[in-house]
């Protein structure tokens, strides 16, 4: 997705453009190290990581540099995002960072047949629920046995008080598009189980975000 997501504010954050295609989402500079710390514990030592909704491409370039033994496959459905991802990849010069592929999370078939891990950052709340449904259905098919499915973003949890900033962000999202909004963790867990994925306890992250981990 082209939206940078939520990192402690109620509204969307602007992009900064570099060159003709490369975009810079300020939130990625704030969340990438916290995300990487979790990835170090859950990603396999070798194999291919499929990143869904790579947005600007900054996360893909950064994580590919941190995990040189893993092949990083970024993707997105937005043309501007794909151009930005390609620009970040070209600037990185990393051999383990593949060119982005056009991928619609809600599509019946993905252009990637298998992956050892799947990562999705700040997508579920800025897309229709059908995108999350398609995401889990395809992940259950594409992800190899034992591989992790890692999702980062703001979520709602039953029995856990939601931060005021997240509630304001949820209102902002729904005002922009009524199909958007923060998703409930139990709803994602149910989707995961329907598609052969086992949920683990959510990991609290900075700025009232969570990391959700699922495995085949």
């Amino acid at each position: 997705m082209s939206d940078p997501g939520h990192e402690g504010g109620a509204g969307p954050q602007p992009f900064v453009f570099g060159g003709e295609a490369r975009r810079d989402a300020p939130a990625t500079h704030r969340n990438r190290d916290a995300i990487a710390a979790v990835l170090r514990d859950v990603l396999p030592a070798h194999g291919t990581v499929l990143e869904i909704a790579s947005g600007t491409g900054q996360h893909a370039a950064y994580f590919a540099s941190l995990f040189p033994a893993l092949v990083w496959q970024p993707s997105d459905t937005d043309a501007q995002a794909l151009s930005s991802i390609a620009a970040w990849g070209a600037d990185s010069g990393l051999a383990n960072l593949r060119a982005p592929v056009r991928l619609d999370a809600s599509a019946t078939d993905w252009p990637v047949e298998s992956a050892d891990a799947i990562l999705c950052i700040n997508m579920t709340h800025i897309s229709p629920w059908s995108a999350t449904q398609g995401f889990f259905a395809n992940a259950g098919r594409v992800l190899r046995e034992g591989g992790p499915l890692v999702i980062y973003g703001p979520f709602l949890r039953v029995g856990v008080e939601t931060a005021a900033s997240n509630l304001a962000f949820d209102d902002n999202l729904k005002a922009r598009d009524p199909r958007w909004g923060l998703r409930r963790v139990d709803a994602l867990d149910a989707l995961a189980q329907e598609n052969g994925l086992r949920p683990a306890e959510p990991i609290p992250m900075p700025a009232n975000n969570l990391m959700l981990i699922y495995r085949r």
Side-chain angles (χ1 to χ4, degrees), residues 158-183:
V158 176
V160 178
E161 184 177 359
T162 303
S165 62
N166 277 6
L167 291 175
F169 185 49
D170 187 45
D171 288 341
N172 177 276
L173 290 169
K174 290 173 179 175
R176 294 165 64 193
D177 189 324
R179 301 174 301 166
W180 295 3
L182 272 59
R183 309 304 181 188

Side-chain angles (χ1 to χ4, degrees), residues 18 61 70 100 131 194:
L70 289 167
E194 288 172 11

Side-chain angles (χ1 to χ4, degrees), residues 74-98:
S75 70
D76 210 287
T77 187
D78 179 75
Q80 284 189 320
L82 291 167
S83 295
S84 182
I85 297 164
W88 278 99
D91 288 349
S92 75
L94 295 168
N96 66 320
L97 179 56
R98 290 180 176 170

Side-chain angles (χ1 to χ4, degrees), residues 1-215:
M1 300 293 293
S2 57
D3 191 301
H6 169 61
E7 295 299 329
Q13 299 181 15
F15 291 118
V16 177
F17 286 80
E20 294 184 358
R22 198 179 72 176
R23 296 187 292 178
D24 185 339
T28 63
H29 299 282
R30 297 191 292 272
N31 65 30
R32 64 185 189 179
D33 289 321
I35 295 173
V38 176
L39 294 181
R40 287 190 181 95
D41 292 333
V42 301
L43 290 181
H46 303 279
T48 297
V49 179
L50 171 61
E51 184 182 354
I52 304 299
S54 299
T56 64
Q58 291 166 269
H59 281 130
Y62 186 67
F63 296 147
S65 72
L66 294 182
F67 303 100
L70 289 167
V71 175
W72 213 270
Q73 177 60 71
S75 70
D76 210 287
T77 187
D78 179 75
Q80 284 189 320
L82 291 167
S83 295
S84 182
I85 297 164
W88 278 99
D91 288 349
S92 75
L94 295 168
N96 66 320
L97 179 56
R98 290 180 176 170
V101 295
R102 185 181 297 277
L103 186 152
D104 180 353
S106 64
T108 304
D109 293 312
W110 285 356
V112 177
E113 294 184 356
S114 65
D116 299 281
I118 297 176
L119 173 65
C120 183
I121 298 172
N122 285 329
M123 182 202 80
T124 61
H125 56 286
I126 51 174
S127 58
W129 180 241
S130 60
T132 298
Q133 291 174 309
F135 171 71
F136 275 97
N138 281 285
R141 176 179 56 83
V142 167
L143 192 62
R144 289 181 178 150
E145 191 71 27
L149 171 65
V150 184
I151 307 176
Y152 169 90
F155 297 95
L156 304 174
R157 299 179 70 184
V158 176
V160 178
E161 184 177 359
T162 303
S165 62
N166 277 6
L167 291 175
F169 185 49
D170 187 45
D171 288 341
N172 177 276
L173 290 169
K174 290 173 179 175
R176 294 165 64 193
D177 189 324
R179 301 174 301 166
W180 295 3
L182 272 59
R183 309 304 181 188
R184 287 174 40 176
V185 172
D186 61 329
L188 269 66
D189 287 351
L191 273 181
Q193 292 172 334
E194 288 172 11
N195 291 283
L197 300 164
R198 306 183 307 275
E201 184 66 20
I203 300 172
M205 301 293 286
N208 299 310
N209 289 293
L210 292 173
M211 204 78 130
L212 308 181
I213 312 294
Y214 303 89
R215 288 189 184 272

